[in-house]
Amino acid sequence: MTDIDSPRGPAAERPFHLVSEDTAATATPPLRVDLAIIGGGMVGMSLAIACSEHGIKTALIEAEPAPALTDRGYDGRSSAIAYGSQQVLKAIGVWDLLKDQAQPILDIRVTDGGGDQRDARRPGGVSPFFVHYSHRDLAEDGTAAQSGEAPPFGYIVENRISRVALFERLKACPNVSHIAPATAMSFKLDAERAQVSLHDGRRIGAALVVAADGRQSALRGFAGIGISESDYRQSAIVCTVVHEKPHHGVAHEHFLPAGPFAMLPMTDDRDDEGHVRHRSSIVWTEDPRLVPMLLALDDDAFGAEIERRFGLTLGRVRPLGPRFSYPLKLLVAEKYLADRMVLVGDAAHGIHPIAGQGFNLGIRDVAALAEVLVDARRLGQDIGSPLVLERYARWRRFDNLLLVGVTDGLTRLFSNDLPPLRLARDLGFALFNKLKPAKRLAMRHAMGLVGDLPKLVRGKPL
Ligand SMILES: Cc1cc2nc3c(=O)[nH]c(=O)nc-3n(C[C@H](O)[C@H](O)[C@H](O)COP(=O)(O)OP(=O)(O)OC[C@H]3O[C@@H](n4cnc5c(N)ncnc54)[C@H](O)[C@@H]3O)c2cc1C
């Protein structure tokens, strides 16, 4: 990663080689790059890294300073990184920097109902209707044949850890100017050129601008791209928990009337006295009206509420560290491109975390866009031309819409307690659990291995 010139000279001594806001240089001529990425979240950073080795000069513009993005208080989420996404992170040199803190997901157990021992409808607690996916089942199909052994479905990694690894990798990237903290405030986009103006007056001219600026994307709004949005009237409570028993790499999801409750296995760590701690990350969907009260409970009461929903499969459960909540909405952009700009990640699609796929979709956007841009560059094409951008948009739209439909359908089907629906679901669970080919297809979908896969998802270089 290189730095752009500033009135104070090179910023090499500053952390992460950032160009800080006090280096504003409104009088200086615009920085000229091939690619300007607005938003240095996990998706924007991955795109900058993927393009950097291929001679695409890139400016990565992020509103937050790097230390804020990796602070424990910024984002309490862990993400399920599907096997296909792990292949991308490996191919772009990020995986080795975080693999020691990535917990393999070996089994997934989905249950209709909770673990409340007092639930009269569920004597004994957890519903007898479940679907169990084991990575060993993949040993019988082509997924395993490639590597000789069945791979895990994916990995659970704290977002904070992924960001640290992405920043670390970014530092070694040629052709990338990481400009942060800096907010992209206005844009000029037409068939001939794209220009971004930052909050301090600096300007960046580019052949292509990418909106990786998340759900509230200012660039998407500026380009006049409409969105369809729907409020699930649910919030996700997220935090790390410790539990008495080891999780053995099993991810659990219980479908409760208020919404899904997931217990995602994390790597063990040690407490201050050196004792091993078994950890998981919870994603607990709730009625937003109850969330403030639940977040304010003391650790014992909060742990007891988790046990009411999850049961004692992992023994006693207690929270560890800060708790977070996220309102849940569906967001779909009406199109992915305008003059000299495209959307990636949450700027293009924001989905319910029920299947842990939002970031995975963003990573597949990155893999496809990087491949399209590198191919265009090899052929001497203008990387911001409609021909190039339409190839990306066509490639990604179907996969994204499919996942939007699946996650939206599952959320609506399972977030209720209507007796006829519950009966149908339970019968469906019992039947599906016995259908091996259908289960295998669902597993390959969850791993991000179905469809027209970009090279990076197949673990191949661009
Ligand atoms: C509770 C919950 C659990 C989840 N679990 C999973 C999971 O298990 N697996 C999974 O795959 N996904 C999961 N997701 C989804 C995943 O977190 C998101 O899809 C992913 O973080 C989106 O990344 P992004 O980089 O596109 O957007 P963001 O993370 O929103 O990043 C956008 C960046 O752009 C910057 N920015 C915005 N505007 C500007 C501007 N004008 N100028 C400069 N910078 C700007 C912001 O500061 C930010 O850093 C979950 C989501 C939730 C809510």
Side-chain angles (χ1 to χ4, degrees), residues 38-43 61-64 69 74 77-80 182-184 212-214 236 238 283 326 345-346 353 356-360:
I38 314 302
M42 297 197 294
V43 170
I61 299 146
E62 167 55 43
E64 298 288 339
L69 289 177
Y74 179 77
R77 290 171 294 182
S78 293
S79 289
T183 304
D213 48 351
V238 174
V283 183
Y326 299 84
D346 274 21
Q357 289 292 340
F359 175 56
N360 290 304

PDB file of all heavy atoms in Angstrom, residues 38-43 61-64 69 74 77-80 182-184 212-214 236 238 283 326 345-346 353 356-360, ligand 1:
ATOM      1  N   ILE A  38     -15.422   3.417  -2.352  1.00  0.00           N
ATOM      2  CA  ILE A  38     -15.979   4.187  -1.232  1.00  0.00           C
ATOM      3  C   ILE A  38     -16.425   3.185  -0.176  1.00  0.00           C
ATOM      4  O   ILE A  38     -17.348   2.401  -0.409  1.00  0.00           O
ATOM      5  CB  ILE A  38     -17.188   5.050  -1.682  1.00  0.00           C
ATOM      6  CG1 ILE A  38     -16.903   5.798  -2.988  1.00  0.00           C
ATOM      7  CG2 ILE A  38     -17.601   6.001  -0.554  1.00  0.00           C
ATOM      8  CD1 ILE A  38     -15.721   6.710  -2.953  1.00  0.00           C
ATOM      9  N   GLY A  39     -15.777   3.212   0.985  1.00  0.00           N
ATOM     10  CA  GLY A  39     -16.131   2.279   2.052  1.00  0.00           C
ATOM     11  C   GLY A  39     -15.035   1.244   2.233  1.00  0.00           C
ATOM     12  O   GLY A  39     -14.831   0.386   1.371  1.00  0.00           O
ATOM     13  N   GLY A  40     -14.322   1.353   3.345  1.00  0.00           N
ATOM     14  CA  GLY A  40     -13.254   0.388   3.641  1.00  0.00           C
ATOM     15  C   GLY A  40     -13.692  -0.566   4.728  1.00  0.00           C
ATOM     16  O   GLY A  40     -12.963  -0.821   5.683  1.00  0.00           O
ATOM     17  N   GLY A  41     -14.923  -1.114   4.605  1.00  0.00           N
ATOM     18  CA  GLY A  41     -15.354  -2.199   5.488  1.00  0.00           C
ATOM     19  C   GLY A  41     -14.718  -3.501   4.985  1.00  0.00           C
ATOM     20  O   GLY A  41     -13.783  -3.487   4.182  1.00  0.00           O
ATOM     21  N   MET A  42     -15.254  -4.622   5.452  1.00  0.00           N
ATOM     22  CA  MET A  42     -14.631  -5.904   5.091  1.00  0.00           C
ATOM     23  C   MET A  42     -14.714  -6.145   3.582  1.00  0.00           C
ATOM     24  O   MET A  42     -13.797  -6.712   2.987  1.00  0.00           O
ATOM     25  CB  MET A  42     -15.302  -7.040   5.867  1.00  0.00           C
ATOM     26  CG  MET A  42     -15.098  -6.898   7.377  1.00  0.00           C
ATOM     27  SD  MET A  42     -15.436  -8.411   8.289  1.00  0.00           S
ATOM     28  CE  MET A  42     -17.184  -8.624   8.043  1.00  0.00           C
ATOM     29  N   VAL A  43     -15.797  -5.682   2.956  1.00  0.00           N
ATOM     30  CA  VAL A  43     -15.964  -5.914   1.523  1.00  0.00           C
ATOM     31  C   VAL A  43     -15.043  -4.982   0.713  1.00  0.00           C
ATOM     32  O   VAL A  43     -14.326  -5.427  -0.186  1.00  0.00           O
ATOM     33  CB  VAL A  43     -17.456  -5.736   1.132  1.00  0.00           C
ATOM     34  CG1 VAL A  43     -17.639  -5.718  -0.375  1.00  0.00           C
ATOM     35  CG2 VAL A  43     -18.273  -6.863   1.764  1.00  0.00           C
ATOM     36  N   ILE A  61     -11.361   4.618   0.249  1.00  0.00           N
ATOM     37  CA  ILE A  61     -11.745   5.765   1.090  1.00  0.00           C
ATOM     38  C   ILE A  61     -12.665   5.284   2.210  1.00  0.00           C
ATOM     39  O   ILE A  61     -13.725   4.696   1.941  1.00  0.00           O
ATOM     40  CB  ILE A  61     -12.469   6.819   0.218  1.00  0.00           C
ATOM     41  CG1 ILE A  61     -11.506   7.305  -0.869  1.00  0.00           C
ATOM     42  CG2 ILE A  61     -12.963   7.990   1.059  1.00  0.00           C
ATOM     43  CD1 ILE A  61     -12.193   7.638  -2.153  1.00  0.00           C
ATOM     44  N   GLU A  62     -12.264   5.526   3.442  1.00  0.00           N
ATOM     45  CA  GLU A  62     -13.037   5.024   4.589  1.00  0.00           C
ATOM     46  C   GLU A  62     -13.255   6.142   5.602  1.00  0.00           C
ATOM     47  O   GLU A  62     -12.320   6.847   5.978  1.00  0.00           O
ATOM     48  CB  GLU A  62     -12.301   3.829   5.216  1.00  0.00           C
ATOM     49  CG  GLU A  62     -12.816   3.394   6.575  1.00  0.00           C
ATOM     50  CD  GLU A  62     -14.318   3.073   6.627  1.00  0.00           C
ATOM     51  OE1 GLU A  62     -14.829   2.410   5.713  1.00  0.00           O
ATOM     52  OE2 GLU A  62     -14.965   3.508   7.605  1.00  0.00           O
ATOM     53  N   ALA A  63     -14.492   6.251   6.061  1.00  0.00           N
ATOM     54  CA  ALA A  63     -14.853   7.331   6.975  1.00  0.00           C
ATOM     55  C   ALA A  63     -14.255   7.174   8.372  1.00  0.00           C
ATOM     56  O   ALA A  63     -13.982   8.159   9.060  1.00  0.00           O
ATOM     57  CB  ALA A  63     -16.375   7.421   7.071  1.00  0.00           C
ATOM     58  N   GLU A  64     -14.054   5.922   8.785  1.00  0.00           N
ATOM     59  CA  GLU A  64     -13.586   5.686  10.161  1.00  0.00           C
ATOM     60  C   GLU A  64     -12.070   5.479  10.182  1.00  0.00           C
ATOM     61  O   GLU A  64     -11.524   4.845   9.277  1.00  0.00           O
ATOM     62  CB  GLU A  64     -14.226   4.415  10.737  1.00  0.00           C
ATOM     63  CG  GLU A  64     -15.729   4.459  10.851  1.00  0.00           C
ATOM     64  CD  GLU A  64     -16.198   5.380  11.956  1.00  0.00           C
ATOM     65  OE1 GLU A  64     -15.409   5.670  12.869  1.00  0.00           O
ATOM     66  OE2 GLU A  64     -17.357   5.821  11.891  1.00  0.00           O
ATOM     67  N   LEU A  69     -12.156   0.874  13.726  1.00  0.00           N
ATOM     68  CA  LEU A  69     -12.788  -0.293  13.083  1.00  0.00           C
ATOM     69  C   LEU A  69     -12.362  -1.614  13.707  1.00  0.00           C
ATOM     70  O   LEU A  69     -13.040  -2.626  13.546  1.00  0.00           O
ATOM     71  CB  LEU A  69     -12.443  -0.319  11.587  1.00  0.00           C
ATOM     72  CG  LEU A  69     -13.107   0.743  10.708  1.00  0.00           C
ATOM     73  CD1 LEU A  69     -12.612   0.628   9.276  1.00  0.00           C
ATOM     74  CD2 LEU A  69     -14.618   0.615  10.737  1.00  0.00           C
ATOM     75  N   TYR A  74     -16.572  -1.652  18.535  1.00  0.00           N
ATOM     76  CA  TYR A  74     -17.138  -1.204  17.258  1.00  0.00           C
ATOM     77  C   TYR A  74     -18.126  -2.212  16.691  1.00  0.00           C
ATOM     78  O   TYR A  74     -19.186  -1.847  16.190  1.00  0.00           O
ATOM     79  CB  TYR A  74     -16.005  -0.958  16.251  1.00  0.00           C
ATOM     80  CG  TYR A  74     -16.497  -0.518  14.889  1.00  0.00           C
ATOM     81  CD1 TYR A  74     -16.920   0.785  14.671  1.00  0.00           C
ATOM     82  CD2 TYR A  74     -16.564  -1.425  13.820  1.00  0.00           C
ATOM     83  CE1 TYR A  74     -17.388   1.188  13.425  1.00  0.00           C
ATOM     84  CE2 TYR A  74     -17.030  -1.022  12.582  1.00  0.00           C
ATOM     85  CZ  TYR A  74     -17.429   0.286  12.386  1.00  0.00           C
ATOM     86  OH  TYR A  74     -17.897   0.665  11.148  1.00  0.00           O
ATOM     87  N   ARG A  77     -19.877  -8.578  16.282  1.00  0.00           N
ATOM     88  CA  ARG A  77     -20.308  -9.746  15.523  1.00  0.00           C
ATOM     89  C   ARG A  77     -19.150 -10.663  15.171  1.00  0.00           C
ATOM     90  O   ARG A  77     -18.020 -10.236  15.008  1.00  0.00           O
ATOM     91  CB  ARG A  77     -20.981  -9.308  14.215  1.00  0.00           C
ATOM     92  CG  ARG A  77     -22.310  -8.644  14.434  1.00  0.00           C
ATOM     93  CD  ARG A  77     -22.837  -8.045  13.169  1.00  0.00           C
ATOM     94  NE  ARG A  77     -22.007  -6.940  12.705  1.00  0.00           N
ATOM     95  CZ  ARG A  77     -22.272  -6.224  11.633  1.00  0.00           C
ATOM     96  NH1 ARG A  77     -23.314  -6.497  10.893  1.00  0.00           N
ATOM     97  NH2 ARG A  77     -21.471  -5.233  11.287  1.00  0.00           N
ATOM     98  N   SER A  78     -19.494 -11.925  15.051  1.00  0.00           N
ATOM     99  CA  SER A  78     -18.610 -12.879  14.402  1.00  0.00           C
ATOM    100  C   SER A  78     -19.333 -13.272  13.132  1.00  0.00           C
ATOM    101  O   SER A  78     -20.563 -13.266  13.092  1.00  0.00           O
ATOM    102  CB  SER A  78     -18.422 -14.128  15.264  1.00  0.00           C
ATOM    103  OG  SER A  78     -17.705 -13.790  16.438  1.00  0.00           O
ATOM    104  N   SER A  79     -18.597 -13.615  12.091  1.00  0.00           N
ATOM    105  CA  SER A  79     -19.271 -14.021  10.856  1.00  0.00           C
ATOM    106  C   SER A  79     -18.972 -15.466  10.540  1.00  0.00           C
ATOM    107  O   SER A  79     -17.854 -15.944  10.739  1.00  0.00           O
ATOM    108  CB  SER A  79     -18.800 -13.155   9.673  1.00  0.00           C
ATOM    109  OG  SER A  79     -19.306 -11.856   9.818  1.00  0.00           O
ATOM    110  N   ALA A  80     -20.010 -16.128  10.031  1.00  0.00           N
ATOM    111  CA  ALA A  80     -19.807 -17.454   9.455  1.00  0.00           C
ATOM    112  C   ALA A  80     -19.231 -17.216   8.070  1.00  0.00           C
ATOM    113  O   ALA A  80     -19.894 -16.666   7.201  1.00  0.00           O
ATOM    114  CB  ALA A  80     -21.142 -18.183   9.367  1.00  0.00           C
ATOM    115  N   ALA A 182     -11.752   9.614   6.075  1.00  0.00           N
ATOM    116  CA  ALA A 182     -12.174  10.583   5.052  1.00  0.00           C
ATOM    117  C   ALA A 182     -13.541  10.165   4.544  1.00  0.00           C
ATOM    118  O   ALA A 182     -13.758   8.986   4.258  1.00  0.00           O
ATOM    119  CB  ALA A 182     -11.177  10.596   3.905  1.00  0.00           C
ATOM    120  N   THR A 183     -14.434  11.129   4.448  1.00  0.00           N
ATOM    121  CA  THR A 183     -15.797  10.814   4.001  1.00  0.00           C
ATOM    122  C   THR A 183     -16.003  11.312   2.583  1.00  0.00           C
ATOM    123  O   THR A 183     -15.720  12.480   2.291  1.00  0.00           O
ATOM    124  CB  THR A 183     -16.820  11.490   4.942  1.00  0.00           C
ATOM    125  OG1 THR A 183     -16.532  11.053   6.271  1.00  0.00           O
ATOM    126  CG2 THR A 183     -18.243  11.113   4.590  1.00  0.00           C
ATOM    127  N   ALA A 184     -16.471  10.416   1.721  1.00  0.00           N
ATOM    128  CA  ALA A 184     -16.813  10.818   0.356  1.00  0.00           C
ATOM    129  C   ALA A 184     -18.129  11.592   0.423  1.00  0.00           C
ATOM    130  O   ALA A 184     -19.134  11.068   0.907  1.00  0.00           O
ATOM    131  CB  ALA A 184     -16.961   9.585  -0.525  1.00  0.00           C
ATOM    132  N   ALA A 212     -18.940   0.590  -1.829  1.00  0.00           N
ATOM    133  CA  ALA A 212     -18.827  -0.468  -0.812  1.00  0.00           C
ATOM    134  C   ALA A 212     -19.142   0.191   0.526  1.00  0.00           C
ATOM    135  O   ALA A 212     -18.556  -0.146   1.549  1.00  0.00           O
ATOM    136  CB  ALA A 212     -17.427  -1.064  -0.822  1.00  0.00           C
ATOM    137  N   ASP A 213     -20.065   1.168   0.482  1.00  0.00           N
ATOM    138  CA  ASP A 213     -20.308   2.006   1.656  1.00  0.00           C
ATOM    139  C   ASP A 213     -21.522   1.568   2.469  1.00  0.00           C
ATOM    140  O   ASP A 213     -22.123   2.359   3.190  1.00  0.00           O
ATOM    141  CB  ASP A 213     -20.396   3.492   1.263  1.00  0.00           C
ATOM    142  CG  ASP A 213     -21.311   3.759   0.076  1.00  0.00           C
ATOM    143  OD1 ASP A 213     -21.758   2.782  -0.554  1.00  0.00           O
ATOM    144  OD2 ASP A 213     -21.600   4.925  -0.227  1.00  0.00           O
ATOM    145  N   GLY A 214     -21.875   0.270   2.360  1.00  0.00           N
ATOM    146  CA  GLY A 214     -22.852  -0.302   3.279  1.00  0.00           C
ATOM    147  C   GLY A 214     -24.297   0.046   2.954  1.00  0.00           C
ATOM    148  O   GLY A 214     -24.611   0.669   1.934  1.00  0.00           O
ATOM    149  N   ALA A 236     -31.406  -8.091  16.226  1.00  0.00           N
ATOM    150  CA  ALA A 236     -30.502  -9.189  16.591  1.00  0.00           C
ATOM    151  C   ALA A 236     -29.641  -8.741  17.766  1.00  0.00           C
ATOM    152  O   ALA A 236     -28.960  -7.717  17.687  1.00  0.00           O
ATOM    153  CB  ALA A 236     -29.622  -9.572  15.422  1.00  0.00           C
ATOM    154  N   VAL A 238     -26.402  -9.553  19.788  1.00  0.00           N
ATOM    155  CA  VAL A 238     -25.178 -10.282  19.451  1.00  0.00           C
ATOM    156  C   VAL A 238     -24.178 -10.136  20.586  1.00  0.00           C
ATOM    157  O   VAL A 238     -23.987  -9.026  21.096  1.00  0.00           O
ATOM    158  CB  VAL A 238     -24.558  -9.695  18.163  1.00  0.00           C
ATOM    159  CG1 VAL A 238     -23.210 -10.333  17.864  1.00  0.00           C
ATOM    160  CG2 VAL A 238     -25.497  -9.870  16.981  1.00  0.00           C
ATOM    161  N   VAL A 283     -26.392 -15.092  18.000  1.00  0.00           N
ATOM    162  CA  VAL A 283     -27.192 -14.134  17.230  1.00  0.00           C
ATOM    163  C   VAL A 283     -28.639 -14.458  17.610  1.00  0.00           C
ATOM    164  O   VAL A 283     -29.186 -15.469  17.200  1.00  0.00           O
ATOM    165  CB  VAL A 283     -26.984 -14.275  15.713  1.00  0.00           C
ATOM    166  CG1 VAL A 283     -27.776 -13.203  14.965  1.00  0.00           C
ATOM    167  CG2 VAL A 283     -25.500 -14.173  15.360  1.00  0.00           C
ATOM    168  N   TYR A 326     -28.679  -5.074  16.594  1.00  0.00           N
ATOM    169  CA  TYR A 326     -28.775  -4.572  15.220  1.00  0.00           C
ATOM    170  C   TYR A 326     -30.222  -4.700  14.749  1.00  0.00           C
ATOM    171  O   TYR A 326     -30.786  -5.805  14.793  1.00  0.00           O
ATOM    172  CB  TYR A 326     -27.889  -5.411  14.280  1.00  0.00           C
ATOM    173  CG  TYR A 326     -26.425  -5.368  14.658  1.00  0.00           C
ATOM    174  CD1 TYR A 326     -25.908  -6.234  15.635  1.00  0.00           C
ATOM    175  CD2 TYR A 326     -25.561  -4.463  14.069  1.00  0.00           C
ATOM    176  CE1 TYR A 326     -24.565  -6.186  15.997  1.00  0.00           C
ATOM    177  CE2 TYR A 326     -24.213  -4.410  14.420  1.00  0.00           C
ATOM    178  CZ  TYR A 326     -23.732  -5.271  15.389  1.00  0.00           C
ATOM    179  OH  TYR A 326     -22.403  -5.217  15.744  1.00  0.00           O
ATOM    180  N   GLY A 345     -21.448  -5.632  -1.975  1.00  0.00           N
ATOM    181  CA  GLY A 345     -21.706  -5.853  -0.551  1.00  0.00           C
ATOM    182  C   GLY A 345     -23.058  -5.308  -0.119  1.00  0.00           C
ATOM    183  O   GLY A 345     -24.026  -5.282  -0.893  1.00  0.00           O
ATOM    184  N   ASP A 346     -23.109  -4.849   1.132  1.00  0.00           N
ATOM    185  CA  ASP A 346     -24.389  -4.395   1.696  1.00  0.00           C
ATOM    186  C   ASP A 346     -24.962  -3.180   0.970  1.00  0.00           C
ATOM    187  O   ASP A 346     -26.157  -2.898   1.104  1.00  0.00           O
ATOM    188  CB  ASP A 346     -24.219  -4.063   3.190  1.00  0.00           C
ATOM    189  CG  ASP A 346     -24.386  -5.304   4.069  1.00  0.00           C
ATOM    190  OD1 ASP A 346     -24.229  -6.428   3.543  1.00  0.00           O
ATOM    191  OD2 ASP A 346     -24.670  -5.153   5.277  1.00  0.00           O
ATOM    192  N   PRO A 353     -29.742 -12.105   8.968  1.00  0.00           N
ATOM    193  CA  PRO A 353     -28.604 -12.992   9.291  1.00  0.00           C
ATOM    194  C   PRO A 353     -28.999 -14.449   9.538  1.00  0.00           C
ATOM    195  O   PRO A 353     -28.152 -15.249   9.950  1.00  0.00           O
ATOM    196  CB  PRO A 353     -28.015 -12.352  10.554  1.00  0.00           C
ATOM    197  CG  PRO A 353     -29.123 -11.596  11.176  1.00  0.00           C
ATOM    198  CD  PRO A 353     -30.027 -11.149  10.058  1.00  0.00           C
ATOM    199  N   GLY A 356     -26.545 -16.521   7.927  1.00  0.00           N
ATOM    200  CA  GLY A 356     -25.154 -16.058   8.006  1.00  0.00           C
ATOM    201  C   GLY A 356     -24.513 -15.891   6.631  1.00  0.00           C
ATOM    202  O   GLY A 356     -23.410 -16.377   6.380  1.00  0.00           O
ATOM    203  N   GLN A 357     -25.196 -15.179   5.724  1.00  0.00           N
ATOM    204  CA  GLN A 357     -24.695 -15.140   4.342  1.00  0.00           C
ATOM    205  C   GLN A 357     -24.393 -13.739   3.810  1.00  0.00           C
ATOM    206  O   GLN A 357     -23.921 -13.600   2.682  1.00  0.00           O
ATOM    207  CB  GLN A 357     -25.716 -15.813   3.407  1.00  0.00           C
ATOM    208  CG  GLN A 357     -25.807 -17.316   3.577  1.00  0.00           C
ATOM    209  CD  GLN A 357     -24.549 -18.047   3.121  1.00  0.00           C
ATOM    210  OE1 GLN A 357     -23.757 -17.530   2.356  1.00  0.00           O
ATOM    211  NE2 GLN A 357     -24.349 -19.260   3.619  1.00  0.00           N
ATOM    212  N   GLY A 358     -24.660 -12.674   4.580  1.00  0.00           N
ATOM    213  CA  GLY A 358     -24.503 -11.313   4.052  1.00  0.00           C
ATOM    214  C   GLY A 358     -23.092 -11.010   3.579  1.00  0.00           C
ATOM    215  O   GLY A 358     -22.871 -10.562   2.444  1.00  0.00           O
ATOM    216  N   PHE A 359     -22.118 -11.240   4.426  1.00  0.00           N
ATOM    217  CA  PHE A 359     -20.719 -10.985   4.057  1.00  0.00           C
ATOM    218  C   PHE A 359     -20.285 -11.949   2.947  1.00  0.00           C
ATOM    219  O   PHE A 359     -19.533 -11.574   2.038  1.00  0.00           O
ATOM    220  CB  PHE A 359     -19.838 -11.133   5.301  1.00  0.00           C
ATOM    221  CG  PHE A 359     -18.369 -11.017   5.018  1.00  0.00           C
ATOM    222  CD1 PHE A 359     -17.845  -9.895   4.387  1.00  0.00           C
ATOM    223  CD2 PHE A 359     -17.497 -12.039   5.386  1.00  0.00           C
ATOM    224  CE1 PHE A 359     -16.476  -9.792   4.119  1.00  0.00           C
ATOM    225  CE2 PHE A 359     -16.136 -11.935   5.132  1.00  0.00           C
ATOM    226  CZ  PHE A 359     -15.630 -10.814   4.492  1.00  0.00           C
ATOM    227  N   ASN A 360     -20.808 -13.177   3.011  1.00  0.00           N
ATOM    228  CA  ASN A 360     -20.433 -14.149   1.978  1.00  0.00           C
ATOM    229  C   ASN A 360     -20.880 -13.696   0.594  1.00  0.00           C
ATOM    230  O   ASN A 360     -20.156 -13.867  -0.389  1.00  0.00           O
ATOM    231  CB  ASN A 360     -21.019 -15.518   2.316  1.00  0.00           C
ATOM    232  CG  ASN A 360     -20.325 -16.118   3.526  1.00  0.00           C
ATOM    233  OD1 ASN A 360     -19.111 -16.268   3.532  1.00  0.00           O
ATOM    234  ND2 ASN A 360     -21.077 -16.415   4.569  1.00  0.00           N
TER     235      ASN A 360
HETATM  236  C1  LIG B   1     -26.413  -9.543  13.480  1.00  0.00           C
HETATM  237  C2  LIG B   1     -25.714  -9.798  12.179  1.00  0.00           C
HETATM  238  C3  LIG B   1     -25.005 -10.982  12.000  1.00  0.00           C
HETATM  239  C4  LIG B   1     -24.373 -11.250  10.788  1.00  0.00           C
HETATM  240  N1  LIG B   1     -23.735 -12.439  10.624  1.00  0.00           N
HETATM  241  C5  LIG B   1     -23.183 -12.743   9.424  1.00  0.00           C
HETATM  242  C6  LIG B   1     -22.545 -14.000   9.198  1.00  0.00           C
HETATM  243  O1  LIG B   1     -22.477 -14.876  10.084  1.00  0.00           O
HETATM  244  N2  LIG B   1     -22.010 -14.254   7.972  1.00  0.00           N
HETATM  245  C7  LIG B   1     -22.082 -13.344   6.960  1.00  0.00           C
HETATM  246  O2  LIG B   1     -21.617 -13.643   5.845  1.00  0.00           O
HETATM  247  N3  LIG B   1     -22.664 -12.130   7.148  1.00  0.00           N
HETATM  248  C8  LIG B   1     -23.212 -11.814   8.345  1.00  0.00           C
HETATM  249  N4  LIG B   1     -23.807 -10.588   8.531  1.00  0.00           N
HETATM  250  C9  LIG B   1     -23.773  -9.593   7.437  1.00  0.00           C
HETATM  251  C10 LIG B   1     -22.436  -8.861   7.368  1.00  0.00           C
HETATM  252  O3  LIG B   1     -22.070  -8.353   8.629  1.00  0.00           O
HETATM  253  C11 LIG B   1     -22.519  -7.716   6.345  1.00  0.00           C
HETATM  254  O4  LIG B   1     -23.046  -8.211   5.143  1.00  0.00           O
HETATM  255  C12 LIG B   1     -21.126  -7.147   6.061  1.00  0.00           C
HETATM  256  O5  LIG B   1     -20.533  -6.647   7.236  1.00  0.00           O
HETATM  257  C13 LIG B   1     -21.230  -6.004   5.039  1.00  0.00           C
HETATM  258  O6  LIG B   1     -19.942  -5.479   4.802  1.00  0.00           O
HETATM  259  P1  LIG B   1     -19.758  -4.190   3.874  1.00  0.00           P
HETATM  260  O7  LIG B   1     -18.282  -3.953   3.848  1.00  0.00           O
HETATM  261  O8  LIG B   1     -20.496  -4.351   2.583  1.00  0.00           O
HETATM  262  O9  LIG B   1     -20.514  -3.016   4.628  1.00  0.00           O
HETATM  263  P2  LIG B   1     -20.160  -2.269   6.006  1.00  0.00           P
HETATM  264  O10 LIG B   1     -19.586  -3.221   6.982  1.00  0.00           O
HETATM  265  O11 LIG B   1     -21.394  -1.538   6.386  1.00  0.00           O
HETATM  266  O12 LIG B   1     -18.997  -1.250   5.622  1.00  0.00           O
HETATM  267  C14 LIG B   1     -19.248  -0.037   4.960  1.00  0.00           C
HETATM  268  C15 LIG B   1     -18.091   0.905   5.264  1.00  0.00           C
HETATM  269  O13 LIG B   1     -18.260   2.092   4.486  1.00  0.00           O
HETATM  270  C16 LIG B   1     -17.894   3.218   5.266  1.00  0.00           C
HETATM  271  N5  LIG B   1     -18.591   4.377   4.685  1.00  0.00           N
HETATM  272  C17 LIG B   1     -19.922   4.581   4.595  1.00  0.00           C
HETATM  273  N6  LIG B   1     -20.179   5.739   3.951  1.00  0.00           N
HETATM  274  C18 LIG B   1     -18.975   6.280   3.618  1.00  0.00           C
HETATM  275  C19 LIG B   1     -18.576   7.467   2.934  1.00  0.00           C
HETATM  276  N7  LIG B   1     -19.469   8.331   2.428  1.00  0.00           N
HETATM  277  N8  LIG B   1     -17.248   7.713   2.784  1.00  0.00           N
HETATM  278  C20 LIG B   1     -16.318   6.845   3.263  1.00  0.00           C
HETATM  279  N9  LIG B   1     -16.651   5.696   3.912  1.00  0.00           N
HETATM  280  C21 LIG B   1     -17.957   5.423   4.085  1.00  0.00           C
HETATM  281  C22 LIG B   1     -18.355   2.853   6.675  1.00  0.00           C
HETATM  282  O14 LIG B   1     -17.625   3.584   7.657  1.00  0.00           O
HETATM  283  C23 LIG B   1     -18.049   1.348   6.727  1.00  0.00           C
HETATM  284  O15 LIG B   1     -16.767   1.067   7.243  1.00  0.00           O
HETATM  285  C24 LIG B   1     -24.439 -10.305   9.736  1.00  0.00           C
HETATM  286  C25 LIG B   1     -25.137  -9.098   9.911  1.00  0.00           C
HETATM  287  C26 LIG B   1     -25.778  -8.852  11.118  1.00  0.00           C
HETATM  288  C27 LIG B   1     -26.540  -7.557  11.300  1.00  0.00           C
END
